Amino acid sequence: MTAPLRDMTPAERARSTSFYEASARTRLELLLDAGSLIEFIGPEQREVSPHLRIFDLPEQFDDGIIVGHGRLDGSPAFVAAQEGRFMGGAFGEVHGAKLTGLLRAAREIGTIPVLILFDTGGVRLQEANAGELAIAEIMRAVMEARAAGVKVIGLVGGRSGCYGGGGLIAGCCSALAVSEFGRIAVSGPEVIETNRGVEEFDSRDRALVWRTMGGKHRRLLGAADLFADDSVQDFREAALELIGLVGPFGLDGLKAEQERLADRLRRFGACLDAVEIWTISGIAHAETIPELPTDQFIALADRIGRTSRDAR
Amino acid sequence: MTPDNILTALFPDGHQVRNDKGVLLGSATRRSGTCMLVLGVADRTAVGVDEAIRLSGHVLGSIDRDDGPILVLVDSDSQRMSKRDELLGLNEFLAHLAKVLIYADMNGRPTIGLIYGHSAAGALLATGLATRVLVGLPGADPAVMDLPSMAKVTKLSMEALEQKANSTPVFAPGLSNLAQMGAVQMTWNYAAPLADQLEALLADMPAVQDLRDMLGKERGGRLKAAEIGERVRDLALQAR
């Protein structure tokens, strides 16, 4: 028998709540210390997208993103969480500007980390120009914040994954934690199939999508530093761990990233499938990776030892 | 316009820029006699992992060695849409290129993007939109996404999309729409020598500060972004 929710501690609730299934608001409430979230420009202010009405599409009062301040194990943190169930978590003008403003404040303060809970298909196409530019501004703001000493941590495990420009912002973060469901890519499966044909990428082949773009592959490649179980509590622990691990940003990190990515191309550039990459990485029975339980997978990923730490 | 025409017009005193399968790498001599690092994407080439790593490597190789501004020429496709590129982590390669350009700009190597042809989506984010000043040339036709892909994602018909594209600057492809947003700061023209227009910009470079949201507000293309960003910033500074 499961205990009624009201009798559970916040940690127990977070432990039992799927990050993938939870709303952006629930994720933040359970990720941060209980009751510590202060939202900036919340839904009561009704700052909606000025562009969706052109397409007769419904608006959301927070434009699909929550930004604010809270505490993580007692320490201050800025947070942003995208709502993947509204317009696929896509970046529009208002949505993007909220994150840009948060990052600019973090840069001025210099010591408070920023957690970005990605859940996005990329640019909101109904306001494509504003959304694209918002992403460019966020990338710039992330790098300026990091240069000022801010740790920017990305958490990827939502329904909409982290696609398009969201994937580029993730690539700008100091570190990433990803769950099995956390797909990270630029072009989504449907977009590749539409442009290049089903022979290039069959978007209905879900196993192909997961092993090409999913969290396990991203962790094994070293694109993500930590692999989290699909619970809010696990992402909370991953965020705390990454805040402790991230070093300062500078030219050495970018040079190391150049070498890390060039090495990846040399080693895996001719591979046609993720299973080939995993096999070359020294994993026996690589084809069983998709079915591997989380604890066994984490042990394996740690043994392979590929991370992007100090090289991004 | 071919990259050769553009480079000759920009640098009448000569350049050493090679076009290798659509990837432009090299340097050029400015009117003042000083050197300028040049890189870019030409011939509507898609930007995949192989292109991105060479472009970022070119900038990183120059950071310790040279000084002076950096020019990024853009006539690309979108990011390369392929299984191989995504398998290898294209998002990291494109982000890395943007990061290197942003780092250079913040550390004494002012960056200028010059879009003279096409570009789209992730390719534009990693090149022109990662520079301090993005300049357009007449005839350039940037787009965030092509209409067939948009139709697939938005589940709207091509006809409906084309109709809206004609009336909606915030969504429609094109240089003037991106200029209205604040993404393209200025448009040069072919009537005056490009070399003069480049020198005029370099003599009067704006400060290292992202003012594109303010520009979008002034030009009426993005009425909310600057204000929302500023309000969140103020609230966040008070909340600590």
Side-chain angles (χ1 to χ4, degrees), chain B residues 66-109:
Chain B
D66 321 314
D67 51 18
I70 297 172
L71 180 67
V72 184
L73 293 169
V74 185
D75 173 23
S76 75
D77 198 347
S78 66
Q79 73 274 7
R80 177 163 292 117
M81 295 176 182
S82 81
K83 180 184 170 187
R84 173 178 175 268
D85 285 271
E86 294 301 342
L87 186 65
L88 292 167
L90 180 59
N91 72 300
E92 290 180 87
F93 287 79
L94 294 181
H96 177 65
L97 174 55
K99 286 151 75 172
V100 166
L101 288 170
I102 292 167
Y103 178 88
D105 188 55
M106 290 172 67
N107 290 276
R109 303 293 301 274

Side-chain angles (χ1 to χ4, degrees), chain A residues 47 108 255 257 264, chain B residues 64 92 96 224 231 233:
Chain A
E47 285 290 0
E108 285 180 52
K255 286 180 175 171
E257 180 165 65
R264 186 187 297 170
Chain B
D64 291 335
E92 290 180 87
H96 177 65
K224 301 214 80 161
R231 275 171 62 197
R233 180 182 153 274

Side-chain angles (χ1 to χ4, degrees), chain A:
Chain A
M1 233 170 68
T2 48
L5 281 180
R6 64 178 176 278
D7 293 339
M8 294 168 78
T9 66
E12 284 166 342
R13 264 190 73 206
R15 177 74 65 197
S16 65
T17 302
S18 157
F19 189 94
Y20 182 83
E21 297 288 345
S23 69
R25 210 161 280 284
T26 301
R27 285 174 192 158
L28 282 185
E29 278 164 8
L30 295 178
L31 189 90
L32 294 166
D33 296 354
S36 71
L37 175 65
I38 301 164
E39 185 173 357
F40 309 138
I41 313 190
E44 77 287 351
Q45 311 231 355
R46 303 196 173 190
E47 285 290 0
V48 300
S49 162
H51 309 299
L52 291 177
R53 68 191 62 147
I54 301 164
F55 289 81
D56 299 319
L57 286 166
E59 295 148 351
Q60 191 154 299
F61 290 152
D62 57 15
D63 204 35
I65 190 169
I66 301 160
V67 298
H69 180 276
R71 293 195 170 267
L72 199 62
D73 232 11
S75 298
F78 288 124
V79 288
Q82 297 181 292
E83 178 50 71
R85 289 179 291 194
F86 173 67
M87 305 292 302
F91 288 87
E93 178 175 350
V94 171
H95 181 116
K98 286 163 86 172
L99 180 49
T100 304
L102 188 78
L103 289 160
R104 287 179 180 168
R107 176 203 189 179
E108 285 180 52
I109 296 165
T111 51
I112 301 179
V114 182
L115 307 181
I116 305 176
L117 284 64
F118 290 99
D119 197 348
T120 186
V123 170
R124 188 184 295 167
L125 294 175
Q126 291 80 1
E127 41 188 299
N129 295 333
E132 172 99 346
L133 187 46
I135 288 167
E137 288 166 337
I138 291 163
M139 289 166 66
R140 180 98 195 183
V142 167
M143 296 321 295
E144 290 181 348
R146 289 186 61 196
V150 178
K151 298 168 180 181
V152 183
I153 311 293
L155 308 178
V156 186
R159 292 165 173 268
S160 294
C162 185
Y163 281 105
L168 270 74
I169 299 171
C172 291
C173 288
S174 316
L176 296 178
V178 66
S179 72
E180 179 156 20
F181 302 124
R183 292 141 293 152
I184 306 173
V186 189
S187 310
E190 288 83 7
V191 169
I192 301 177
E193 185 182 319
T194 302
N195 282 275
R196 298 283 304 278
V198 70
E199 305 77 19
E200 175 70 23
F201 205 103
D202 181 354
S203 64
R204 282 162 306 178
D205 184 345
R206 302 319 286 174
L208 172 68
V209 174
W210 291 115
R211 71 176 184 272
T212 307
M213 302 168 174
K216 281 182 171 169
H217 179 52
R218 293 299 177 225
R219 174 66 191 94
L220 289 174
L221 268 187
D225 303 276
L226 285 182
F227 188 80
D229 207 353
D230 175 40
S231 75
V232 182
Q233 179 68 17
D234 225 46
F235 271 102
R236 174 184 158 96
E237 284 161 18
L240 278 164
E241 188 176 341
L242 289 175
I243 288 170
L245 286 175
V246 168
F249 167 74
L251 182 58
D252 288 345
L254 288 178
K255 286 180 175 171
E257 180 165 65
Q258 177 79 21
E259 191 43 49
R260 175 172 73 84
L261 296 177
D263 180 61
R264 186 187 297 170
L265 279 190
R266 278 190 297 270
R267 286 171 58 97
F268 307 130
C271 293
L272 299 173
D273 194 279
V275 176
E276 268 184 70
I277 292 182
W278 304 336
T279 303
I280 293 176
S281 299
I283 299 170
H285 308 295
E287 71 284 353
T288 63
I289 289 282
E291 287 79 45
L292 212 58
T294 299
D295 51 342
Q296 290 177 38
F297 176 77
I298 290 173
L300 175 75
D302 289 347
R303 185 164 57 75
I304 298 292
R306 194 169 282 121
T307 85
S308 53
R309 201 170 304 150
D310 304 322
R312 60 189 300 153

